[in-house]
């Protein structure tokens, strides 16, 4: 179990990410921010949703 660097929740980094927003957030975490193992699925999903809306260079 780890603690999320953004929201502070405890999460399992080995848990599968089923939501497309979570997967998009994971992609951004790996490619842009190098913090993929530090964020919970909810924060990854939030980042992914915003990325899909505003980062057209990745998802446009």
């Amino acid at each position: 179990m780890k603690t999320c660097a953004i929201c502070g929740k405890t999460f399992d980094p080995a848990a599968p990410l089923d939501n497309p927003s979570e997967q998009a957030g994971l992609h951004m975490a790996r490619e842009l921010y190098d913090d993929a193992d530090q964020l919970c699925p909810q924060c990854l999903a939030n980042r992914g949703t915003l990325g899909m809306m505003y980062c057209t260079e990745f998802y446009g």
Side-chain angles (χ1 to χ4, degrees):
M1 298 303 277
K2 292 186 105 176
T3 301
C4 179
I6 294 176
C7 70
K9 290 181 188 175
T10 303
F11 70 100
D12 179 6
L17 301 176
D18 299 328
N19 183 321
S21 294
E22 294 171 350
Q23 293 171 359
L26 180 61
H27 173 75
M28 293 178 72
R30 287 180 178 155
E31 299 297 320
L32 295 175
Y33 302 108
D34 195 31
D35 61 359
D37 61 338
Q38 300 173 22
L39 303 181
C40 70
Q42 182 62 50
C43 288
L44 286 173
N46 291 342
R47 180 182 282 175
T49 298
L50 290 170
M52 288 187 285
M53 289 171 36
Y54 297 110
C55 296
T56 57
E57 65 271 18
F58 293 114
Y59 307 106

